């Protein structure tokens, strides 16, 4: 995990799995800053709340008693919260704002904790105009509005801290937050004395998340199995691994697929379940083998990238991710025996070095028939092979093969007036598997990988329609740091080539050429 990540999270407050009689209402609605400024003045005028000691006074004893009387089974969280909040509130010149990240399953007390904090800092408690709550699924639910959310959130934080330096911001459902959104407030959590004339050092930021619940529960379960007292669990037993698991939270794969992969409901669902199930299985019987099929530009390469980014800290740049492109790495048919030997040595050497290695084979439809069979032993159910276990490795095949069959099914649904989203894996996988097995241009022609059922999923990528191209364009503009412009994207999308010629339903190149096209239109 990067050092900068640790910098901004002072404590990971750990909540284990017990019942707490508490509820978590939505108390704040995220609205425009202009309306907020007017509302704030009217509120303060009518109710008289102001940012001074009359309305903001920390009650250390009150917080300690409240945690003891209302938060049950959370000795680690209670101790850390009491000390961190008391120390921060008693520090007249803090170097940075207080940032707490609360983790654990629903009902364990995370929502209760921030309410107790608010009640012992602000006279009006949760009803204070200086306490601001955001719920990811309510306030930031549209991926297409991500850039707008960033801008509005920055304005909201800046405006309210300017109004009252001792403001509190609560971000609930962090595990449902779109990746990258929370990074927009990073400058306000830093050690800057002031930023554009505003100091954020007295503010409090609290993040609530279910992420890490599995790890916390596992530690508690291990203590129980060993007959050790639960109260012996210490922060150091949980925090290091928890911070890493949250940083690489697998749920972010689900969000990334939802945000970046368009028009692929079948692929998205299968990939999310397959990868999550495999990664959560401590003793898999074999390596994970996925075969991704569909026309160019439908998202196959993007998916392998998203999987890597949500498993390895360095994503595709990780030394444990290995990508092979048929036309670049295996171009000469006369060298096929050498390729087989080198490929076997490469896989064996890298899995020996790191069992959790990932191997991506692109352009499978251009691979010489028979070459891929050399890796069959590593994909099989062997516990060990020459002293090496391959059961934690991941193999991903990318191919255009089967694109005709996939397109035909999508076209038949369209002609029948059926919703594309009703296409299911069972509509495609059986015939797709057969067509790939019998195609000499698939790279998997008569391969033992299929014959021996070693490929876990043949995943179809549907051809993209005009509406999906628009979504790709909007996302690409955001990625380029541009404000998404529907008119620009629409103009670009209309210039692309669609098929079949009579109906012009599907984009010939999917979303592949959109990056370059947008450079022209912007």
């Amino acid at each position: 995990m990067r050092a900068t990540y640790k910098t901004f999270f002072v404590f990971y407050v750990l909540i284990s799995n017990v019942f707490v009689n508490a509820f978590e209402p939505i108390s704040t609605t995220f609205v425009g800053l202009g309306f907020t400024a007017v509302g704030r003045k009217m509120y303060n005028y009518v109710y008289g709340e102001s940012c001074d000691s009359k309305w903001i006074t920390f009650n250390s004893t009150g917080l300690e008693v409240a945690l003891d009387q209302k938060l049950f089974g959370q000795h680690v969280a209670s101790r850390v919260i009491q000390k961190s909040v008391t120390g921060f509130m008693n520090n007249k010149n803090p170097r940075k704002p207080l940032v707490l990240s609360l983790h654990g399953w629903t009902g364990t007390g995370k929502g209760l904790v921030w309410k107790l904090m608010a009640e012992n800092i602000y006279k009006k408690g949760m009803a204070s105009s200086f306490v601001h709550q955001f719920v990811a699924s309510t306030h930031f639910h549209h991926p297409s509005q991500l850039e707008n959310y960033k801008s509005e959130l920055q304005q909201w934080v800046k405006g309210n801290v300017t109004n009252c330096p001792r403001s509190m911001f609560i971000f609930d459902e962090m595990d449902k937050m779109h990746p990258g959104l929370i990074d927009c407030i990073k400058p306000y959590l830093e050690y800057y004395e002031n930023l554009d004339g505003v100091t954020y050092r007295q503010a409090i930021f609290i993040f609530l998340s279910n992420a890490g619940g599995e790890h916390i529960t596992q530690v508690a379960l291990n203590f129980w199995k060993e007959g050790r007292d639960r109260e012996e669990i210490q922060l150091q037993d949980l925090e290091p691994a928890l911070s890493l698991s949250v940083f690489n939270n697998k749920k972010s794969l689900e969000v990334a697929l939802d945000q970046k992969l368009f028009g692929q409901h079948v692929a998205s669902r299968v990939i999310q379940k397959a990868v999550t199930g495999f990664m959560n299985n401590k003793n898999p019987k074999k390596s994970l083998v996925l075969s991704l099929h569909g026309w160019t530009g439908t998202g196959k390469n993007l998916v392998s990238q998203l999987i890597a980014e949500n498993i390895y800290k360095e994503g595709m740049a990780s030394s444990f991710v290995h990508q092979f492109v048929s036309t670049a790495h295996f171009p000469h048919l006369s060298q096929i025996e050498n390729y087989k030997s080198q490929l076997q040595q490469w896989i064996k050497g890298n899995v020996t070095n790191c069992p959790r290695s990932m191997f991506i084979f692109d352009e499978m439809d251009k691979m010489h028939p028979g070459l891929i069979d050399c890796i069959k032993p590593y994909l099989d159910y062997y516990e060990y092979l020459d002293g090496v276990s391959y059961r934690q490795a991941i193999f991903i095949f990318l191919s255009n093969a089967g694109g005709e069959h996939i397109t035909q099914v999508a076209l038949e649904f369209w002609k029948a007036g059926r919703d594309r989203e009703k296409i299911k894996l069972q509509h495609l996988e059986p015939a797709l598997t057969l067509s790939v097995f019998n195609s000499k241009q698939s790279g998997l022609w008569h391969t033992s990988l299929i014959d021996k059922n070693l490929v876990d999923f043949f995943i179809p990528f549907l051809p993209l329609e005009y509406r999906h191209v628009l979504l790709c364009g909007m996302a690409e503009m955001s990625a380029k740091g541009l404000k998404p412009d529907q008119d620009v994207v629409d103009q670009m999308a209309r210039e692309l080539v669609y098929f079949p010629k009579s109906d012009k339903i599907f984009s010939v190149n999917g979303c592949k050429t959109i990056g370059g096209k947008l450079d022209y239109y912007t």
Side-chain angles (χ1 to χ4, degrees):
M1 186 177 66
R2 296 178 178 84
T4 52
Y5 185 79
K6 291 182 178 178
T7 301
F8 308 125
F9 289 85
V10 181
F11 291 105
Y12 286 87
V13 181
L14 313 172
I15 313 291
S16 55
N17 193 25
V18 301
F19 177 77
V20 175
N21 186 18
F23 57 91
E24 305 179 19
I26 298 173
S27 62
T28 305
T29 302
F30 193 44
V31 295
L33 187 64
F35 178 82
T36 301
V38 175
R40 177 83 68 233
K41 291 178 180 178
M42 290 179 64
Y43 187 99
N44 290 341
Y45 176 79
V46 175
Y47 294 98
E49 188 180 23
S50 57
C51 187
D52 55 36
S53 58
K54 179 181 176 182
W55 295 93
I56 304 177
T57 303
F58 177 56
N59 185 351
S60 176
T61 302
L63 178 60
E64 184 175 6
V65 171
L67 289 170
D68 183 61
Q69 291 184 351
K70 298 180 181 180
L71 183 65
F72 307 114
Q74 307 300 350
H75 66 285
V76 178
S78 185
R79 187 182 309 124
V80 175
I81 290 163
Q82 172 63 25
K83 287 187 176 181
S84 61
V85 175
T86 300
F88 179 74
M89 294 301 295
N90 288 339
N91 185 350
K92 293 184 178 180
N93 295 293
R95 300 293 303 279
K96 64 180 295 294
L98 176 64
V99 186
L100 303 176
S101 193
L102 281 54
H103 298 266
W105 296 127
T106 299
T108 49
K110 305 184 299 293
L112 173 65
V113 161
W114 76 259
K115 294 176 178 68
L116 297 180
M117 289 173 58
E119 289 170 359
N120 285 280
I121 294 176
Y122 305 95
K123 185 175 179 179
K124 286 182 170 287
M126 300 184 311
S128 171
S129 59
F130 308 128
V131 175
H132 315 277
Q133 185 185 13
F134 305 95
V135 181
S137 60
T138 301
H139 300 114
F140 315 112
H141 53 290
H142 294 300
S144 62
Q145 296 298 312
L146 188 60
E147 295 306 312
N148 288 335
Y149 291 150
K150 287 181 180 180
S151 175
E152 291 170 356
L153 185 55
Q154 287 176 326
Q155 292 178 50
W156 182 277
V157 173
K158 180 179 180 180
N160 282 285
V161 173
T162 300
N163 182 45
C164 181
R166 185 66 84 188
S167 291
M168 177 186 288
F169 303 89
I170 300 102
F171 295 86
D172 200 356
E173 298 184 349
M174 282 295 296
D175 46 308
K176 295 175 183 169
M177 180 87 70
H178 300 300
L181 174 55
I182 204 65
D183 284 335
C184 77
I185 68 168
K186 169 189 171 290
Y188 312 135
L189 277 56
E190 264 277 17
Y191 288 82
Y192 302 121
E193 186 170 356
N194 66 71
L195 201 63
D196 295 329
V198 181
T199 180
Y200 296 85
R201 291 182 171 184
Q202 289 187 313
I204 299 173
F205 295 82
I206 304 173
F207 304 126
L208 279 62
S209 177
N210 288 354
E214 300 91 341
H215 173 71
I216 298 168
T217 299
Q218 189 59 52
V219 171
L221 188 60
N222 290 343
F223 267 69
W224 179 81
K225 286 180 178 179
E226 295 168 6
R228 299 172 65 184
D229 191 341
R230 160 195 185 97
E231 276 64 36
E232 293 178 18
I233 298 175
Q234 303 293 321
L235 184 63
Q236 55 265 34
D237 294 321
L238 292 156
E239 188 178 29
L242 176 62
S243 60
L244 186 60
S245 72
V246 171
F247 186 71
N248 294 316
N249 177 24
K250 302 303 176 297
K251 285 203 172 182
S252 64
L253 172 61
E254 182 178 2
V255 177
L257 289 169
D258 181 61
Q259 270 191 355
K260 299 178 180 180
L261 183 66
F262 305 113
Q264 306 298 351
H265 65 284
V266 177
S268 184
R269 188 180 307 120
V270 175
I271 290 162
Q272 168 63 21
K273 288 187 176 182
V275 174
T276 300
F278 180 75
M279 294 300 295
N280 288 338
N281 186 350
K282 292 185 177 180
N283 296 294
K285 296 295 184 183
K286 63 180 290 294
S287 54
L288 177 64
V289 185
L290 304 177
S291 193
L292 282 51
H293 297 267
W295 291 129
T296 298
T298 50
K300 302 185 299 294
N301 274 290
L302 173 63
V303 160
S304 59
Q305 177 186 327
L306 296 180
I307 293 174
E309 288 174 354
N310 285 279
I311 293 178
Y312 306 94
K313 181 179 174 182
E314 296 189 8
M316 290 294 290
S318 171
S319 58
F320 308 126
V321 176
H322 313 276
Q323 186 170 21
F324 304 94
V325 181
S326 293
T327 53
H329 297 107
F330 316 114
H332 303 297
L333 180 60
S334 61
Q335 295 295 314
I336 191 168
E337 294 306 316
N338 288 335
Y339 294 150
K340 287 181 180 180
S341 175
Q342 292 168 1
L343 187 54
Q344 287 177 327
Q345 291 178 44
W346 182 269
I347 291 175
K348 181 178 180 179
N350 281 285
V351 174
T352 300
N353 181 44
C354 178
R356 185 67 84 189
S357 291
M358 178 186 290
F359 301 91
I360 302 165
F361 294 86
D362 199 359
E363 297 185 350
M364 281 295 296
D365 47 302
K366 296 182 175 68
M367 183 173 285
H368 302 299
L371 173 55
I372 203 64
D373 280 331
C374 77
I375 71 170
K376 171 191 171 292
Y378 312 134
L379 277 59
D380 217 321
Y381 288 81
Y382 302 117
E383 187 171 359
Y384 290 97
L385 205 61
D386 295 330
V388 181
S389 175
Y390 296 85
R391 291 183 169 184
Q392 289 187 313
I394 299 174
F395 294 83
I396 303 176
F397 304 130
L398 280 61
S399 176
N400 287 356
E404 301 92 340
H405 172 71
I406 297 168
T407 298
Q408 187 59 41
V409 172
L411 189 59
E412 287 171 1
F413 266 69
W414 181 83
K415 288 181 176 179
R418 301 175 65 186
D419 191 341
R420 163 196 183 98
E421 277 63 37
K422 290 182 180 178
I423 298 175
K424 298 187 180 300
L425 185 63
Q426 54 263 39
H427 290 135
L428 293 158
E429 191 177 31
L432 175 60
T433 305
L434 190 61
S435 69
V436 169
F437 183 73
N438 290 323
S439 172
K440 289 186 177 181
Q441 281 72 48
S442 71
L444 295 169
W445 178 67
H446 286 191
T447 176
S448 57
L449 272 62
I450 297 179
D451 193 37
K452 299 298 183 182
N453 297 309
L454 297 180
V455 177
D456 296 295
F457 293 97
F458 287 87
I459 304 175
F461 281 69
L462 302 170
L464 300 181
E465 299 174 10
Y466 174 78
R467 58 190 170 112
H468 304 125
V469 173
L470 290 179
L471 291 171
C472 289
M474 298 292 278
E476 183 67 21
M477 289 193 76
S478 292
K480 289 176 176 288
L482 303 172
K483 184 176 180 180
D485 188 320
Q486 182 79 35
D487 294 334
V488 170
V489 172
D490 182 70
Q491 184 183 4
M492 177 274 301
R494 291 183 184 280
E495 296 296 323
L496 299 181
V497 180
Y498 296 84
F499 73 98
K501 289 184 178 179
S502 57
D503 301 299
K504 296 185 178 180
I505 307 165
F506 306 121
S507 169
V508 170
N509 292 312
C511 287
K512 190 161 189 174
T513 61
I514 280 179
K517 296 282 187 183
L518 280 175
D519 289 338
Y520 173 77
Y521 286 99
T522 56

